């Protein structure tokens, strides 16, 4: 589909939307119904709404409806308020953008208006530092050469300035003519591809002849960018409002479900099924008791004959009574805790990068616990493991290698002498380095020239050429000027054959100003340039140079050129123009035309650029691998370069302790055979050697097409892999492959080509690097350096998982405890579904008494950060979900049942006499719950801080103060109850007995387990406690050594258990839920 934009034609403006931006989710009128719909799409909220509605039926409700309606309304108000506040802030941001003043030219007259009043076809006039209000086709600038500079960081995160040029059709128009121009732009319908714009433009007479001119993304100014270093620029509005490329890119990301959340959902379903069984059994037995004995009890006042639905009353009463088995506040509690986890990451000073002044940032507050369960890390290389600071180190020109002796070709005497003696091959080599690029030279006031480049490789090459006296001093859309040994040389830039990930090369066609010769200058990857050499040229020395440089971990590029005949160029230029004007499949057509020209090249040589490892990368990878995490490197670089970097950063192990299995071949059959050989080797020798495999993008394409299942098995067996020559799509495919078999993946990168991989992974981490902020903006977490990943995973991820595991299971425990007491009481109340607790106590129990103490766990640390980093193998506990699974939940379930029996039986024995009121019995049981839970939280807390002590025991004191106040209100059912209980010694003896009987067996079990079957965490805690003594006595040293020995054996056993039978964390229904 196409759109036709008529320039300065008011009659066609209403065909498209205006420039009003709207990022709000709600309006004033639809907020309430839409927000209610959003909240009640969740199963748990639907469940509690049903319970709350059933409680309105007075015949069946055992307690006041307020016990469910109160918490439900509070939860709704909290969630709705947060949504409303976020949406209001979006509204204010939109309002500011929409009411910003801009200049628009109508019939040659400059008018100022609000940005929201711009329409498609309007001519927008911009001044320096203005924000671009909509997507424009650039048609004029203050620069004589028709170029302007744009800062695109807000759009794509890239910090380097971009050059934009006017189309050739408007090159000679004056500012007065621009204001009155008429014409039409033929372009695609709106899309979100910020790197592509395939369109054509015609200008109508009398301004210019009615000829077609192709437009590309380099002729556009996109919304949210800024005009820099340009006095003015003007453009035609082609996309406005939410139809701009920036507006189309905005959207709500799909929420990610963590492994812990998936487990909580399964446990919730299990509890719900258990609840249904309990309700049916108790309802059935209750009806039998009522028919056989209840009707005979005159004081129960059962009617002789009830309505037809009478048999449903008791089951429904039990359903309402047991509804608190599923904690209503669990989601709010976990959301609040996760928000705090995210803030801990933001506030971590040890993850602050002082070099770039970049703090760590958590953009996704919902998945912190997944960091502690990561099984696979898939990392980019350039800019992620390396610094992305390119330095020209070596080169090979005409079979001669420079820089091998001192590691710096620029200082190689032989190369300097070759430049001085005007060696023709060397001079041509330097000329290609200086001209074949998209670098923009910027001249300062003192005459010095600096370079702005979108590619760090290009900047390194141009700087190296400058240091060798071949200096690029000026460049615009049509000309370039080079200074060599004080002499200036001019070149006309005829065409640029842009680099693409498919072509893996770029070329420029230039015309020498002095001789008039037309030259094709090319540079690119060795596999893209060397096959294009002229027949008969010997390229073996260049292949050897590429191999040698790759072995040193250097990035290589090959350079070539050829002279074009004028007739050949004219014929080719016509085809290139036709392909450039095509609106259908333009990229493929351009690539085909470019390939027809890039042939018979005279290969000049090879460049080698160093990209050093970031500080701390080898130590970080070693630590992560020791933690049981599989680390893969996925890069677009050559295989040998990637292997060398892998050796340097501890990713792979050299012979004889390690072995690298290569998956390659010259045909599909050879690739598939090498895959099968690698799979057999991996199965038979992985226990004796540190194995890894390496493959390139071509091999991966064949494998995914013909043998995906075998490759999946190999991926599951391999702890390390190096994947080279990968496209952005292939990077994402590898992540998706590991996710499909249930592994929890983390992808980390720094550039725009890593975004698809980052978004595909369970967890995306972006590095705020020299390639900009595009990866960081698309990620769940952003960090300044790769080395901070160890703290993000081992410290923040592990603590978050541990805390979430306790919070979720404790929430079920406290709800099950009060529910089991209600069920036990029903056996004393004729199985009628009567509640032991009054409505106020039940509501306060859920909202106040048990919510605050448990939040102290968000500050808890079972072992110190230093110990975690010293013993990274401890992460295997959270990786395998050891703290939150059906087994651990069964323990909490059993504890809640046992504590309910203790509280109920002791309370009944102590207060079940004729003098005790039901309200007294209720308050004693409720007090027992509060006492036990205070001790449970205290017992499960590993590190105490003042906030924790205040919240746990301050809440305990607050319980008595609140109930003493309520007992002083004559109109309440609880009047004088707490005063009477507190004055009785038997009450305090009962509380002490409940704590002793309830906690005694728990303490004994833990003591015996720690003594005879301690976990690695228990041993580490013992070591910390012993080392924490001011003076470790000689008597403790044997115990300390024994603990360390046991710890080593335990951690070794944990690692061995992750053998061939190891199952992915998300291998069952959790992955389906995700």
């Amino acid at each position: 589909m196409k759109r036709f934009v008529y320039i300065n034609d008011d009659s066609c403006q209403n065909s498209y939307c205006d420039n009003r931006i709207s990022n709000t989710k709600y309006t004033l009128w639809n907020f309430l119904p839409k927000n209610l719909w959003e909240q009640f799409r969740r199963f748990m909220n639907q469940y509690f709404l049903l319970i709350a509605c059933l409680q309105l039926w007075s015949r069946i409700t055992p307690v006041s409806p307020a016990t469910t309606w109160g918490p439900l309304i509070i939860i709704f108000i909290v969630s709705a308020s947060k949504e409303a506040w976020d949406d209001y802030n979006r509204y204010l941001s939109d309002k500011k953008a929409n009411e910003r003043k801009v200049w628009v030219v109508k019939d040659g007259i400059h008018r100022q208006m609000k940005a929201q009043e711009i329409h498609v076809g309007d001519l927008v006039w911009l001044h320096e530092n203005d924000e671009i209000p909509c997507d424009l086709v650039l048609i004029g600038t203050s620069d004589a050469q028709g170029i302007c500079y744009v800062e695109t960081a807000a759009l794509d995160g890239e910090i380097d300035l971009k050059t934009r040029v006017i189309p050739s059709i408007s090159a000679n128009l004056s500012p007065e003519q621009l204001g009155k121009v008429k014409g039409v732009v033929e372009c695609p319908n709106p899309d979100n591809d910020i790197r592509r714009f395939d369109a054509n433009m015609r200008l109508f007479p009398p301004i210019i002849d009615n000829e077609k001119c192709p437009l590309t993304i380099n002729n556009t100014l996109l919304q949210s960018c800024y005009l820099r270093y340009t006095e003015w620029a003007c453009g035609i509005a082609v996309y406005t409002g939410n139809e701009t490329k920036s507006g189309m890119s905005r959207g709500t990301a799909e929420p990610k479900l963590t492994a812990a959340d998936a487990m909580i959902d399964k446990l919730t379903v299990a509890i719900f099924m258990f609840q249904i069984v309990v309700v049916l059994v108790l309802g059935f037995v209750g009806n039998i008791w009522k028919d056989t004995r209840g009707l005979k009890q005159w004081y129960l006042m059962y009617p002789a004959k009830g309505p037809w639905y009478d048999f449903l009353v008791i089951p429904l009463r039990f359903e309402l009574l047991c509804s608190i088995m599923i904690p209503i506040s669990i989601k709010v509690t976990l959301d609040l805790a996760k928000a705090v986890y995210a803030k801990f990451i933001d506030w971590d000073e040890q993850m602050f990068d002082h070099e770039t002044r970049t703090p760590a940032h958590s953009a996704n507050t919902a998945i912190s616990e997944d960091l502690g369960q990561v099984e696979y890390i898939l990392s980019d290389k350039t800019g992620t493991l390396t610094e992305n600071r390119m330095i020209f180190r070596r080169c090979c020109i005409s079979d001669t290698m420079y820089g091998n002796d001192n590691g710096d070709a620029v200082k190689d005497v032989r190369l300097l002498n070759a430049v001085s003696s005007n060696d023709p091959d060397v001079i041509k080599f330097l000329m290609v380095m200086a001209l074949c690029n998209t670098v923009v030279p910027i001249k300062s006031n003192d005459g010095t020239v600096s370079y702005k480049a979108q590619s760090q490789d290009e900047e390194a090459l141009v700087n190296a050429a400058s240091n060798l006296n071949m200096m690029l001093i000026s460049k615009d859309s049509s000309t370039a000027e080079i200074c060599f040994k004080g002499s200036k040389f001019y070149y006309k830039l005829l065409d640029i054959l842009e680099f693409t990930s498919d072509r893996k090369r770029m070329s420029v066609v230039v015309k020498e100003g002095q001789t008039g010769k037309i030259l094709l200058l090319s540079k690119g990857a060795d596999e893209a340039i060397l096959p294009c050499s002229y027949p008969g040229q010997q390229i073996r020395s260049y292949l050897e140079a590429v191999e040698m440089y790759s072995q040193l971990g250097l990035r290589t590029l090959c350079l070539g050129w050829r002279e074009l005949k004028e007739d050949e160029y004219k014929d080719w230029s016509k085809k290139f123009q036709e392909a450039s004007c095509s609106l259908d499949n333009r990229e493929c057509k351009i690539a085909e035309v470019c390939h027809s020209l890039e042939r018979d090249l005279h290969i000049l040589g090879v460049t080698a650029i160093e990209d050093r490892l970031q500080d701390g990368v080898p130590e970080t990878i070693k630590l992560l691998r020791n933690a049981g995490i599989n680390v893969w490197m996925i890069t677009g670089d050559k295989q040998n370069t990637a292997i060398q970097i892998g050796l340097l950063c501890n990713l792979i192990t050299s012979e004889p302790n390690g072995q690298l299995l290569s998956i390659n071949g010259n045909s599909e059959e050879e690739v598939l055979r090498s895959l099968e050989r690698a799979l057999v080797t991996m199965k038979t020798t992985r226990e004796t050697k540190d194995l890894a495999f390496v493959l390139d993008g071509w091999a991966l394409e064949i494998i995914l097409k013909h043998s995906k299942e075998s490759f999946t098995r190999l991926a599951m067996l391999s702890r390390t892999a190096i994947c080279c020559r990968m496209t952005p799509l292939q990077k994402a495919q590898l992540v998706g492959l590991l996710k499909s078999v249930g592994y929890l993946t983390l992808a980390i990168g720094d550039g725009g080509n890593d975004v698809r991989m980052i978004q595909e992974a369970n967890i995306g981490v972006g590095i705020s690097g020299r390639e900009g902020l595009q990866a960081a903006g698309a990620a769940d977490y952003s960090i300044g350096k790769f080395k901070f990943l160890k703290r993000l995973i081992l410290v923040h991820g592990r603590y978050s998982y541990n805390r979430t595991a306790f919070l979720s299971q404790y929430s079920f425990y406290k709800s099950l405890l009060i529910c089991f007491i209600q069920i036990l009481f029903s056996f004393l109340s004729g199985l009628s579904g009567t509640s032991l607790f009054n409505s106020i106590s039940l509501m306060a129990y859920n909202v106040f008494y048990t919510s605050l103490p448990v939040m102290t766990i968000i500050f808890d640390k079972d072992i110190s950060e230093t110990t975690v980093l010293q013993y990274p193998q401890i992460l295997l506990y959270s990786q395998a979900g050891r703290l939150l699974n059906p087994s651990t939940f069964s323990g909490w379930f059993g504890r809640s049942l046992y504590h309910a029996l203790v509280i109920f039986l002791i309370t009944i024995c102590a207060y079940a006499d004729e003098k005790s009121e039901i309200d007294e019995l209720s308050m004693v049981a409720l007090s027992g719950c509060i006492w036990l839970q205070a001790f449970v939280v205290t017992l499960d807390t590993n590190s105490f801080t003042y906030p924790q002590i205040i919240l746990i025991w301050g809440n305990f004191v607050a319980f008595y103060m609140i109930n003493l106040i309520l007992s002083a209100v004559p109109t309440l059912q609880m009047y004088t109850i707490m005063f009477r209980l507190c004055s009785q010694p038997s009450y305090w003896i009962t509380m002490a007995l409940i704590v002793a009987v309830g906690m005694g067996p728990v303490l004994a079990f833990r003591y015996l387990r720690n003594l005879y079957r301690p976990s690695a965490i228990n041993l580490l805690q013992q070591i910390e406690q012993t080392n924490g003594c001011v003076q470790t006595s000689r008597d403790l040293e044997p115990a300390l050594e024994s603990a360390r020995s046991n710890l080593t054996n335990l951690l070794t056993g944990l690692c061995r258990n992750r053998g061939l039978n190891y199952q992915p964390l998300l291998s069952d229904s959790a992955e389906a839920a995700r």
Side-chain angles (χ1 to χ4, degrees):
M1 296 291 291
K2 301 175 184 177
R3 106 171 1 190
F4 294 90
V5 177
Y6 292 91
I7 304 171
N8 266 330
D9 189 343
D10 293 341
S11 63
C12 301
Q13 288 184 347
N14 294 328
S15 302
Y16 308 107
C17 69
D18 61 18
N19 199 42
R20 188 184 304 273
I21 297 171
S22 178
N23 293 305
T24 56
K25 188 176 180 181
Y26 305 100
T27 67
L28 192 62
W29 309 111
N30 72 7
F31 173 77
L32 192 60
K34 191 172 182 179
N35 188 260
L36 280 171
W37 170 252
E38 289 287 330
Q39 294 209 45
F40 288 110
R41 285 171 61 187
R42 305 179 189 125
F43 168 74
M44 289 183 66
N45 285 353
Q46 294 173 10
Y47 170 76
F48 286 114
L49 180 63
L50 175 63
I51 296 299
C53 291
L54 286 175
Q55 284 186 338
L56 296 175
W57 188 4
S58 59
R59 181 175 172 82
I60 66 170
T61 180
V63 292
S64 169
T67 57
T68 301
W69 280 104
L72 190 65
I73 290 172
I74 290 172
I75 290 170
F76 166 73
I77 290 174
V78 169
S79 299
S81 299
K82 179 180 180 299
E83 285 284 315
W85 177 253
D86 291 345
D87 211 51
Y88 179 68
N89 286 327
R90 287 191 288 266
Y91 163 76
L92 292 179
S93 177
D94 291 346
K95 187 171 184 289
K96 182 179 179 181
N98 288 331
E99 296 183 355
R100 188 175 69 249
K101 297 296 184 179
V102 296
W103 289 95
V104 174
V105 181
K106 296 278 190 181
D107 299 323
I109 300 173
H110 289 248
R111 303 173 183 173
Q112 196 173 40
M113 62 174 61
K114 293 179 180 179
Q116 66 187 18
E117 297 172 352
I118 297 174
H119 288 83
V120 170
D122 284 347
L123 180 64
V124 180
W125 205 277
L126 303 168
H127 299 87
E128 185 176 3
N129 298 324
D130 278 355
E131 181 180 353
I132 298 166
C134 59
D135 290 352
L136 308 173
V137 169
L138 182 67
I139 62 169
T141 76
S142 57
D143 185 85
Q145 303 300 326
I147 65 173
C148 67
Y149 301 102
V150 180
E151 179 187 298
T152 63
L155 184 66
D156 58 16
E158 297 180 7
I159 55 179
D160 293 315
L161 293 180
K162 306 292 191 307
T163 304
R164 294 293 183 258
V165 298
I166 63 174
S168 57
I169 197 172
S170 59
N172 298 316
L173 298 182
S174 67
E176 291 75 19
Q177 289 177 312
L178 288 172
K180 299 178 181 179
V181 71
K182 298 281 187 179
V184 61
V185 176
E186 182 184 4
C187 59
N189 278 335
D191 59 51
N192 60 359
D193 190 348
I194 62 173
R195 306 198 180 279
R196 185 171 181 175
F197 180 71
D198 299 337
N200 299 317
M201 182 169 70
R202 290 186 178 92
L203 297 183
F204 298 154
I207 299 296
I208 200 165
D209 290 336
N210 190 12
E211 62 182 44
K212 184 189 291 185
C213 175
L215 302 175
T216 69
I217 197 67
N218 291 326
N219 306 122
T220 63
L221 303 176
L222 300 184
Q223 185 191 54
S224 301
C225 300
Y226 288 83
L227 186 69
R228 303 294 192 201
Y229 302 113
T230 307
E231 184 181 346
W232 61 264
C234 63
I236 307 301
V238 288
Y239 303 129
T240 51
N242 288 340
E243 291 185 344
T244 63
K245 289 185 179 290
S246 172
M248 299 286 284
S249 300
R250 288 189 291 264
T252 305
E254 286 294 319
K256 294 183 177 181
L257 180 68
T258 67
D261 286 337
M263 179 57 67
I264 292 169
D265 287 348
K266 290 198 291 185
L267 296 176
T268 301
V269 171
I271 289 295
F272 178 71
M273 299 304 294
F274 172 74
Q275 175 188 317
I276 295 299
V277 172
V278 169
V279 167
L280 291 176
V281 171
L282 292 179
F284 178 73
V285 177
N287 278 324
I288 292 176
W289 188 91
K290 174 187 170 184
D291 293 337
T292 57
R293 300 185 60 186
L295 293 174
K296 299 176 182 178
Q297 309 298 325
W298 62 269
Y299 54 86
L300 294 179
M301 295 186 291
Y302 280 125
K305 187 178 181 181
W308 65 269
Y309 55 81
D310 200 43
F311 71 98
L312 294 174
V313 170
I314 292 179
L316 287 175
R317 288 175 68 87
F318 274 113
E319 172 60 34
L320 297 179
L321 203 63
C322 296
S323 63
I324 57 174
M325 277 189 183
I326 300 175
I328 192 172
S329 60
I330 187 171
K331 186 182 183 302
V332 173
T333 301
L334 291 177
D335 286 349
L336 178 60
K338 290 178 180 183
V340 176
Y341 303 158
K343 284 300 177 184
F344 286 159
I345 294 172
D346 294 347
W347 295 335
D348 191 341
E349 294 183 358
Q350 295 186 54
M351 292 172 64
F352 183 83
D353 183 21
H354 294 279
E355 182 183 348
T356 59
R357 310 298 298 171
T358 304
H361 176 62
S362 174
N364 190 337
T365 62
I367 61 172
S368 295
E369 61 268 30
D370 259 1
L371 288 167
Q373 297 189 277
V374 169
E375 296 166 289
Y376 275 82
I377 293 176
L378 296 97
S379 174
D380 175 45
K381 180 182 76 68
T382 305
T384 303
L385 301 177
T386 62
E387 291 183 344
N388 202 15
R389 296 179 186 275
M390 308 301 179
I391 302 173
F392 182 82
R393 287 299 186 192
R394 307 185 186 204
C395 62
C396 175
I397 308 173
S398 298
D399 302 340
T400 304
M401 294 189 179
Y402 300 100
N404 285 4
D405 297 331
N406 59 0
D408 189 353
V410 175
K411 296 180 181 179
D412 192 311
V413 176
R414 294 178 301 145
L415 182 58
L416 294 174
N417 290 336
V419 174
S420 300
S421 61
N422 292 335
D423 184 297
D425 286 337
V426 172
I427 300 305
K428 191 72 72 175
F429 184 87
L430 296 178
M431 185 192 74
V432 176
M433 287 172 59
L435 285 177
C436 186
N437 52 63
T438 57
V439 172
V440 178
I442 298 177
K443 188 175 290 187
S444 61
N445 294 330
D446 60 1
T448 59
V449 178
S450 60
Y451 300 107
K452 285 286 185 182
Q454 299 179 32
S455 163
Q456 304 297 325
D457 295 86
E458 288 189 340
E459 186 177 350
L461 291 177
V462 174
N463 278 317
S466 176
N467 292 331
L468 292 168
N469 293 323
M470 186 71 71
M471 180 181 289
L472 177 66
I473 56 176
S474 70
K475 188 179 183 182
D476 55 42
S477 60
S478 58
T479 61
E481 183 180 0
I482 286 178
C483 179
F484 180 66
K485 293 183 178 180
S487 301
K488 294 183 178 180
F489 299 88
Y490 296 91
Y491 296 86
K492 185 176 181 180
L493 300 179
L494 300 178
D495 291 291
I496 296 177
L497 286 62
E498 295 183 351
F499 173 88
T500 68
S501 58
D502 293 326
R503 287 174 8 91
K504 296 183 179 178
R505 60 178 176 259
M506 79 158 289
S507 303
V508 295
V509 181
V510 299
K511 187 173 185 178
E512 289 185 336
Q514 295 171 322
T515 64
K517 292 181 179 179
I518 299 176
L519 308 177
L520 172 71
L521 312 179
S522 300
K523 78 169 189 298
D526 56 288
E527 75 268 24
I529 294 292
L530 296 181
C532 298
S533 61
Y534 67 84
Q537 183 176 11
Q538 297 297 317
I539 60 173
R540 182 174 179 179
S541 59
Y542 299 127
L543 289 170
E544 291 174 350
V546 168
E547 181 72 17
M548 186 188 78
Y549 294 151
S550 299
Q551 292 287 351
L552 297 173
L554 302 177
R555 298 162 60 89
T556 59
L557 286 173
C558 295
L559 277 58
W561 78 286
R562 79 178 176 100
E563 184 177 345
L564 303 177
K565 295 179 180 179
E566 190 160 344
D567 292 340
E568 178 189 8
Y569 170 71
K570 286 181 178 179
D571 292 341
W572 177 85
S573 181
K574 184 177 180 181
K575 296 177 183 177
F576 186 67
Q577 178 77 3
E578 291 174 355
S580 299
C581 291
S582 173
L583 294 183
D584 298 322
N585 209 17
R586 176 185 289 189
E587 190 172 336
C588 292
K589 291 178 180 178
I590 290 177
E592 186 177 339
V593 173
C594 291
H595 183 72
S596 67
L597 189 70
E598 295 167 324
R599 56 180 175 79
D600 298 334
L601 296 177
H602 177 83
I603 306 301
L604 292 168
V606 181
T607 64
I609 297 173
E610 179 188 40
D611 186 13
R612 290 178 295 185
L613 281 179
Q614 289 183 20
D615 180 43
V617 167
E619 297 80 4
T620 300
I621 289 181
K622 183 179 180 181
L623 204 66
L624 293 172
R625 294 191 69 202
N626 287 340
I629 299 174
N630 306 317
V631 184
W632 288 18
M633 181 200 296
I634 307 180
T635 178
D637 254 349
K638 275 187 63 64
Q639 179 170 307
N640 288 331
T641 303
I643 291 172
Q644 187 63 29
I645 294 296
L647 288 168
L648 292 174
C649 67
N650 288 330
L651 187 65
I652 55 177
T653 307
S654 57
E655 294 281 0
N657 297 323
Q659 182 179 351
L660 188 62
L661 308 174
S662 182
I663 302 173
N664 55 23
N666 297 320
S667 64
E668 291 185 359
E669 291 75 14
E670 289 184 13
V671 170
L672 297 177
R673 280 198 298 270
S674 68
L675 171 63
E676 293 302 325
R677 286 195 301 269
L679 185 57
V680 171
T681 306
M682 190 72 71
K683 288 179 178 179
T684 55
T685 61
R686 69 190 297 258
E687 295 297 324
T688 58
K689 280 190 174 184
D690 188 7
L691 298 180
F693 71 84
V694 59
L695 84 165
D696 60 21
W698 181 73
L700 179 66
E701 187 176 345
I702 294 171
I703 288 168
L704 293 181
K705 184 178 180 181
H706 298 286
S707 190
K708 185 175 181 180
E709 186 177 342
S710 294
F711 182 71
T712 303
R713 288 201 300 271
L714 179 68
M716 294 174 69
L717 293 173
S718 177
R719 294 198 59 201
T720 306
I722 295 178
C723 307
C724 324
R725 301 296 198 193
M726 293 289 156
T727 65
L729 175 61
Q730 289 176 319
K731 290 182 178 184
Q733 285 175 329
L734 284 170
V735 175
L737 184 78
L738 291 169
K739 280 179 64 180
S740 68
V741 289
Y743 285 112
L744 205 154
T745 58
L746 180 149
I748 179 170
D750 73 314
N753 61 334
D754 302 316
V755 169
R756 293 184 72 167
M757 171 178 74
I758 286 172
Q759 292 178 332
E760 177 69 22
N762 301 113
I763 304 168
V765 179
I767 289 184
S768 306
R770 291 172 64 82
E771 287 192 31
L773 303 174
Q774 193 172 358
D780 301 303
Y781 300 92
S782 61
I783 54 179
K785 292 282 190 298
F786 183 86
K787 65 181 180 181
F788 298 136
L789 193 62
K790 62 186 177 185
R791 280 191 63 81
L792 187 66
I793 292 175
L794 295 175
V795 176
H796 292 286
R798 184 179 173 279
Y799 285 154
S800 297
Y801 169 77
N802 290 359
R803 293 160 180 167
T804 297
F806 178 84
L807 278 171
S808 55
Q809 293 176 113
Y810 174 84
S811 296
F812 280 105
Y813 159 79
K814 68 183 182 67
S815 295
L816 288 168
L817 174 63
I818 202 80
C819 186
F820 283 143
I821 293 174
Q822 295 273 54
I823 292 172
L824 291 171
F825 178 71
S826 69
F827 289 99
L828 297 183
S829 60
L831 292 167
S832 59
T834 303
S835 174
L836 172 63
F837 304 102
N838 61 56
S839 302
I840 294 177
S841 296
L842 279 176
M843 189 163 61
Y845 176 84
N846 279 318
V847 177
F848 302 111
Y849 298 152
T850 58
S851 295
L852 290 178
V854 74
M855 294 307 294
T856 62
I857 211 70
I858 62 178
F859 303 104
D860 189 47
K861 298 179 180 180
D862 57 344
I863 51 179
S864 67
E865 297 176 6
T866 305
T867 302
V868 172
L869 296 174
Q870 187 177 353
Y871 297 95
Q873 301 94 326
I874 205 68
L875 186 72
L876 293 169
Y877 277 90
S878 56
Q879 269 186 329
R882 294 281 187 89
L883 302 182
L884 176 59
N885 54 56
S887 177
T888 58
F889 184 76
S890 298
W892 282 95
F893 184 91
R895 189 193 300 192
S896 64
L897 180 57
Y898 172 69
H899 283 170
L901 284 167
V902 169
I903 293 170
F904 182 75
L905 293 176
I906 292 178
T907 300
I908 291 299
C909 292
Y911 283 87
D913 56 58
E914 295 180 359
K915 296 180 181 179
S916 300
E917 299 178 10
I918 186 67
D919 292 322
E920 282 186 343
L921 201 68
S922 169
M923 186 53 66
V924 172
L926 185 64
S927 301
C929 293
I930 302 301
W931 276 70
L932 272 184
Q933 285 171 63
F935 280 94
V936 165
V937 175
T938 303
L939 183 65
D940 281 273
T941 300
N942 298 283
S943 59
F944 285 98
T945 60
Y946 287 115
Q948 289 172 289
I949 295 171
I950 292 171
L951 281 174
I952 294 172
W953 296 104
N955 183 80
F956 183 76
V957 174
F959 165 75
Y960 281 97
M961 293 180 64
I962 291 171
N963 281 283
L964 286 170
I965 292 171
L966 294 175
S967 296
V969 180
T971 57
L972 293 179
Q973 195 175 355
M974 296 171 56
Y975 183 55
T976 72
I977 295 293
M978 187 55 78
F979 288 109
R980 279 184 282 158
L981 288 175
C982 290
S983 64
Q984 299 170 4
S986 59
Y987 171 78
W988 301 106
I989 294 172
T990 302
M991 293 301 106
L993 193 60
I994 287 173
V995 171
V997 177
M999 299 305 298
V1002 176
L1003 289 169
F1005 173 76
R1006 290 199 175 189
Y1007 174 77
L1008 294 173
R1009 186 189 62 186
N1010 293 347
L1011 185 63
Y1012 296 107
R1013 292 193 63 184
S1015 66
I1017 297 173
N1018 300 141
L1019 293 173
L1020 286 172
Q1021 289 171 337
Q1022 292 175 27
I1023 293 171
E1024 280 190 341
Q1025 291 167 5
T1026 308
N1027 289 340
C1029 297
V1030 178
Q1031 292 182 340
T1032 304
S1033 67
R1034 292 181 180 178
D1035 295 336
L1036 288 175
E1037 287 182 4
L1040 183 60
E1041 283 303 316
S1042 175
R1044 285 176 175 156
S1045 176
N1046 291 338
L1047 175 65
T1048 303
N1049 295 334
L1050 245 167
L1051 294 177
T1052 304
L1054 279 174
C1055 294
R1056 285 177 179 170
N1057 286 338
R1058 289 175 60 106
L1060 292 175
N1061 295 324
Y1062 176 70
Q1063 292 297 316
L1065 178 67
L1066 301 172
S1067 58
D1068 53 8
S1069 59
E1071 177 62 21
R1074 183 184 295 276

